[in-house]
Amino acid sequence: MNDVGELDRPGTPTSPGAWDARSEETLSAASAGAIPPVPETAADGERPTDPEAATRDEPPANRETASGRESSAKRETVSGREPSAKRETVSGPEPSAREAGADRKAATPRRGAADPVKALMHRHRDLCERAVDPLEIAAGLEAHGITDRTAARFRHRDVFSLAEEMYARASRDGEEPPPAPPAVPRPRADWVLLTLLPGALCAAAVSALRLTDGQTRLFAAAVGALTVALALHAALRRGPLSAADRTTPGRTTTWTAWLIGYALLGDGLLLNAVAGGPDALPTGTADGPWPLTAAPVLALALACAPAAWITHLLTGRTRRRLAASRGLDDFAAAVRPLLLGAFALFLAALAALLALCAAALDEPAAYAEVLTLGALLFLARLLTTHGFTYAPAVVLTATATVQAAALAMVFTSRLPGCGFLATPVEVLVTTFGAGGVPTLACGAAALALLIHATRKLTRASAHAPPEPAR
């Protein structure tokens, strides 16, 4: 025997001795298959090659470890995971690292743009290119359904803040910079003559009233009023005083005609109504029972020319400021003095013309009444020229209504029990004269329009050049 362990191995004895009981039992069990065949023994110092024999010879702890590995291998086989060699046989060779990276890149969804504002500008490219101020961009974004909550996704507090960034970056990020505002067109001979025509025709009509008498005077007054109205309409349709949108009919024509007519006949009618008249129709003279004051109307008609020139000058200055400025606050601060200066210049020109007309016609110069009316009409036309038509229409309507209500209250007070209605008007006429009512009405309206104009006409969008006709 070479090893001690050979003593415990069952087998057929090779000694010449007799068989004992234990050997006979072992031999019978081996022949029945109860005991597995004994593997061949390796060389000295080596473990047997049979895994079950190795498991039996190992300690209990090692046997548990081996059984655990065997169980895990069985679980992997049951769960469907095959060895790597079998997987390669079924699915083919594994892709390379570059192909795997490309597959992962294609499968991964694309992220959003690194600059979301730039993407939004590209989406609203036309809006950014034609906008002249951030407010126009903000209005366009709101029209497309972008709200303050949407602007928060672009890291802005509201739509206006987002519009300011888009407006500031439009000239840098766009493929083509926005076109510069074109130069202000030079005065043409046609609109120069049209702005001078109302004053010339009004002067001719006043001269005809002074040189005629009776029915001829009435005929001259009617023809003069018609020609002056047509000339004024033509002057307002062309040149610097033309409206921004010519397709929209003017809503202020009726009330403007009323205000000018009141300046011609209203003071005499109101004075006679307070005194219990009038007893006769107007004769067209300043000393008749219903006096006619021609100096205010003549001064206003002559002021059409300086109003057009001042408007043209203001337009040129503001467009140059618009081309050189990119900030709304800076532009408003630069345009506001220009607007107030143009307004003061017009009042100075109107005052000078009124003084000349009053001296030529030998009539009193009602500076307060004429200057407030002229300021109201100039501001209303200035706003209409730049596209703001609602406020002038409302203010002119309210002013004309106040003047008509003053006359109506005086005549209504003659009814029984209605005498108190004329008290406010009588107090004004007694204190300030017949011109007190139009002065207060036109002065308040002109002040309201001046405040409105300093807010609207200091915007960049108000001075944008008109789009070329297609």
Side-chain angles (χ1 to χ4, degrees), residues 14-48:
T14 58
S15 63
W19 286 67
D20 57 359
R22 181 178 180 183
S23 299
E24 291 180 355
E25 292 177 1
T26 302
L27 182 59
S28 61
S31 61
I35 299 176
V38 179
E40 297 181 357
T41 305
D44 295 341
E46 294 183 358
R47 301 179 62 86

Side-chain angles (χ1 to χ4, degrees), residues 280-303:
L281 295 176
T283 58
T285 60
D287 53 357
W290 188 347
L292 182 145
T293 55
V297 178
L298 181 58
L300 290 173
L302 293 173

Side-chain angles (χ1 to χ4, degrees), residues 11-274:
T12 304
T14 58
S15 63
W19 286 67
D20 57 359
R22 181 178 180 183
S23 299
E24 291 180 355
E25 292 177 1
T26 302
L27 182 59
S28 61
S31 61
I35 299 176
V38 179
E40 297 181 357
T41 305
D44 295 341
E46 294 183 358
R47 301 179 62 86
T49 58
D50 186 15
E52 294 182 359
T55 305
R56 286 194 303 269
D57 296 341
E58 288 179 355
N62 294 340
R63 286 200 300 270
E64 292 178 2
T65 304
S67 62
R69 287 195 300 266
E70 183 179 359
S71 301
S72 62
K74 291 182 180 180
R75 285 196 299 270
E76 290 181 359
T77 304
V78 172
S79 61
R81 288 195 295 270
E82 298 178 350
S84 59
K86 190 175 293 186
R87 286 200 303 270
E88 290 179 0
T89 304
V90 175
S91 61
E94 294 184 356
S96 61
R98 182 179 300 177
E99 295 177 354
D103 294 341
R104 288 194 299 270
K105 183 177 181 181
T108 304
R110 295 181 60 185
R111 295 183 179 179
D115 190 354
V117 178
K118 186 174 182 179
L120 185 64
M121 291 174 61
H122 180 73
R123 189 183 309 166
H124 301 281
R125 179 180 177 182
D126 295 338
L127 176 63
C128 294
E129 287 181 353
R130 73 170 182 267
V132 295
D133 67 346
L135 297 181
E136 187 173 349
I137 297 180
L141 293 179
E142 290 179 344
H144 285 82
I146 297 179
T147 60
D148 292 342
R149 181 175 297 179
T150 309
R153 302 176 185 175
F154 297 92
R155 299 180 181 179
H156 284 275
R157 64 181 182 274
D158 51 22
V159 177
F160 294 96
S161 176
L162 176 60
E164 288 178 357
E165 181 179 350
M166 295 175 64
Y167 175 77
R169 293 175 54 179
S171 60
R172 298 194 302 268
D173 291 347
E175 296 180 1
E176 296 181 359
V184 181
R186 294 184 177 182
R188 299 192 307 268
D190 56 350
W191 70 259
V192 171
L193 294 176
L194 286 176
T195 55
L196 294 174
L197 191 59
L201 292 179
C202 187
V206 171
S207 300
L209 289 176
R210 292 297 180 96
L211 297 176
T212 56
D213 193 4
Q215 292 184 353
T216 306
R217 177 178 293 175
L218 294 178
F219 179 75
V223 173
L226 181 60
T227 55
V228 170
L230 292 177
L232 184 61
H233 178 72
L236 297 180
R237 292 285 294 179
R238 289 181 173 272
L241 295 179
S242 60
D245 187 6
R246 297 183 181 181
T247 60
T248 303
R251 296 179 296 175
T252 62
T253 304
T254 303
W255 303 115
T256 301
W258 168 269
L259 293 174
I260 295 177
Y262 190 93
L264 182 66
L265 298 170
D267 289 346
L269 177 61
L270 181 61
L271 192 60
N272 278 275
V274 171

Side-chain angles (χ1 to χ4, degrees), residues 390-437:
Y390 179 75
V394 171
V395 172
L396 290 178
T397 302
T399 306
T401 302
V402 169
Q403 294 181 354
L407 291 173
M409 289 170 65
V410 174
F411 288 108
T412 306
S413 64
R414 298 177 182 178
L415 298 175
C418 298
F420 65 94
L421 295 177
T423 302
V425 181
E426 291 176 355
V427 171
L428 287 177
V429 172
T430 304
T431 306
F432 302 104
V437 174

